[in-house]
Amino acid sequence: MFQKIKLTDIVIVIVIVLIAIIIGYYYGNSLARNKLWVRSYPIRAQLSLTNISCSNDSPSWLADILKHQTKNNNAPANQIAYIDPNGTLHHCENGYVGDYPLLSDSVTEQTRFRYASVTKLWTADAILNLIKADKLTLDTTLSSLLPEIDTPKDARISEITIRQLLSHRAGFNRYSVFGQDMFGIGKDICPNNLNGLNDIQLGFDPDSKTSYSNLGYCLLGEVISRLNEDKSYKDVIKKQYNFADSRIQFVSNSAMSDEVTYNYVETGLTGYADIYTAFDYDGLASAAGLSGNAIDLAKQVHVMAAKLDPNIMSLDNDVVCNGRDITEECYGYAMLPYQPNSQSATVYYRDGSLLGLSTLVAIDERGSVVALLSNGTPDTGVDHNVKTKIYEYLNR
């Protein structure tokens, strides 16, 4: 009987066994599986680059930006929207909604991405609207609006102002447990335990330096709530910005049916929690809680940018920024200015990132708006090259 076994049969059996072993190994070893997924990116990227769609008469540079994101920033799916100085909307998209190219639907202009920290533009704009309505000023203290701040151990907390919160100069150190509590690190303070502000220690004197703080913007969200008859921040923003007429929605701890998948992998044997469960979504709302597409993002920011001063592009006269350094964190009331030299035009940026996604908005002096959404993040964390590329395109 054994004499009838052919060499080809033996080879086939060996191949089947090897395939089964390989599949079993990667199925049971998430770290190895994720490493393989990372190595496959050039293939996925190339397939995404062949799947670019643009609106009629869109500037060619929009597609160039998407190619840059796909090739350099681990983002196989992207959207970009551009409202030019004449108010004309252009847009491009590339990639696939799901993890697997060709087997998934193509990204369209309606595909949902999470906005991450670009959400802060709505919070800042809503605060500036309250200032114009004479309900508060830039120098109003937080403690005068939140009675929970009554016996702070650090007396400096009583003197924190709206201006300092907007510009990330309130004294909250982003690298301490009190700077990022939306990530579930340290003591839960905002929005559900504001009495905890009485127990914390600031990282530095308010106004002495800039330190990016999600906690500060969560507190601004509470101010918006209190000055709108204690309606929730989400309800106020939904109504004030007519979300019913757009696809913009607040995110939750699960993926939405029209949402893109995000291109990230575990970093260890157990990995970290996924993007849907890694955050405190109450604390996230006013700092990084919105989602939608690039077109709706560009349209809403375009309206914000056209408002009278102070608006999202306004800068504090008391804070000196080196606008020539695009990497410097020197915030106005919502955005960062970039001006390569004193004779050149200024472009204002607001970016953000979460696990496996990055967002960017740019506004130039003519009121043009660029909104870029990507389902990946650069290896370096932030890609300032894409900002300079957009600057060059806007100022040709």
Side-chain angles (χ1 to χ4, degrees):
M1 180 179 70
F2 293 104
Q3 293 177 347
K4 296 181 180 180
I5 297 177
K6 298 178 181 179
L7 179 60
T8 54
D9 295 331
I10 296 174
V11 171
I12 291 172
V13 170
I14 292 173
V15 169
I16 292 173
V17 170
L18 287 174
I19 292 173
I21 291 172
I22 291 170
I23 291 174
Y25 172 75
Y26 283 109
Y27 180 80
N29 189 328
S30 62
L31 181 59
R33 185 171 65 249
N34 286 325
K35 287 181 178 179
L36 180 63
W37 181 248
V38 169
R39 293 192 190 102
S40 75
Y41 184 73
I43 298 173
R44 292 183 285 128
Q46 191 58 45
L47 292 171
S48 294
L49 288 172
T50 62
N51 189 34
I52 296 178
S53 175
C54 293
S55 57
N56 293 334
D57 301 320
S58 289
S60 60
W61 62 265
L62 295 184
D64 291 340
I65 293 294
L66 298 192
K67 292 174 184 176
H68 173 86
Q69 290 294 90
T70 303
K71 292 178 180 178
N72 300 288
N73 291 331
N74 305 320
N78 306 272
Q79 291 176 338
I80 190 168
Y82 170 49
I83 299 177
D84 68 23
N86 298 318
T88 303
L89 172 68
H90 311 276
H91 62 88
C92 291
E93 306 79 37
N94 81 298
Y96 297 86
V97 175
D99 285 330
Y100 304 105
L102 304 180
L103 301 178
S104 171
D105 292 334
S106 296
V107 171
T108 72
E109 69 272 19
Q110 300 300 329
T111 302
R112 180 178 305 280
F113 289 71
R114 300 194 173 206
Y115 288 171
S117 286
V118 166
T119 299
K120 291 181 176 70
L121 293 179
W122 278 265
T123 302
D125 187 69
I127 287 288
L128 296 173
N129 287 342
L130 290 169
I131 290 172
K132 293 169 191 172
D134 295 325
K135 293 188 176 182
L136 76 166
T137 71
L138 286 167
D139 296 316
T140 298
T141 60
L142 180 66
S143 58
S144 68
L145 300 169
L146 302 183
E148 291 88 345
I149 304 174
D150 52 4
T151 55
K153 294 178 181 178
D154 187 335
R156 297 173 295 179
I157 290 174
S158 294
E159 304 305 317
I160 292 173
T161 66
I162 297 299
R163 184 194 309 269
Q164 292 161 354
L165 290 169
L166 285 171
S167 56
H168 300 276
R169 297 175 64 84
F172 301 119
N173 184 351
R174 69 179 298 185
Y175 299 109
S176 78
V177 295
F178 303 120
Q180 306 276 3
D181 65 332
M182 76 177 202
F183 296 102
I185 300 172
K187 187 176 181 180
D188 177 23
I189 297 174
C190 183
N192 299 316
N193 297 291
L194 295 177
N195 289 322
L197 288 167
N198 293 303
D199 300 323
I200 71 172
Q201 187 80 15
L202 293 181
F204 55 90
D205 289 336
D207 253 350
S208 64
K209 66 177 183 178
T210 299
S211 182
Y212 190 84
S213 173
N214 289 302
L215 172 57
Y217 266 73
C218 181
L219 294 171
L220 288 172
E222 278 303 293
V223 170
I224 292 167
S225 173
R226 301 294 172 90
L227 295 181
N228 282 276
E229 301 175 344
D230 285 331
K231 297 175 183 176
S232 73
Y233 169 83
K234 291 181 180 179
D235 287 342
V236 173
I237 297 300
K238 287 176 187 177
K239 182 177 180 180
Q240 187 169 331
Y241 295 92
N242 300 313
F243 283 3
D245 295 332
S246 73
R247 297 177 70 87
I248 299 175
Q249 295 180 36
F250 283 95
V251 300
S252 64
N253 60 355
S254 61
M256 298 182 183
S257 60
D258 59 347
E259 187 173 355
V260 73
T261 58
Y262 300 105
N263 186 44
Y264 69 98
V265 297
E266 296 175 358
T267 56
L269 288 174
T270 59
Y272 39 60
D274 64 43
I275 191 172
Y276 311 112
T277 60
F279 307 105
D280 168 12
Y281 281 89
D282 287 335
L284 186 79
S286 56
L290 287 175
S291 69
N293 56 58
I295 290 176
D296 284 337
L297 173 55
K299 286 180 177 179
Q300 294 231 348
V301 171
H302 190 250
V303 173
M304 296 179 195
K307 293 181 179 180
L308 297 175
D309 289 337
N311 62 29
I312 58 172
M313 296 185 294
S314 297
L315 304 174
D316 196 313
N317 292 330
D318 295 333
V319 178
V320 179
C321 285
N322 176 18
R324 299 180 186 183
D325 183 1
I326 202 166
T327 68
E328 183 184 23
E329 286 193 342
C330 193
Y331 290 87
Y333 298 144
M335 307 188 80
L336 297 93
Y338 175 56
Q339 185 185 27
N341 59 69
S342 58
Q343 286 75 44
S344 58
T346 301
V347 171
Y348 302 85
Y349 293 101
R350 168 74 261 186
D351 58 10
S353 63
L354 289 173
L355 296 179
L357 70 94
S358 60
T359 60
L360 177 65
V361 169
I363 309 172
D364 70 14
E365 294 174 336
R366 300 170 298 172
S368 301
V369 175
V370 177
L372 175 63
L373 303 176
S374 301
N375 76 332
T377 52
D379 292 331
T380 56
V382 178
D383 178 18
H384 295 294
N385 290 327
V386 73
K387 296 179 183 178
T388 56
K389 285 179 180 294
I390 289 173
Y391 180 94
E392 292 167 359
Y393 287 128
L394 288 176
N395 289 284
R396 281 182 172 178

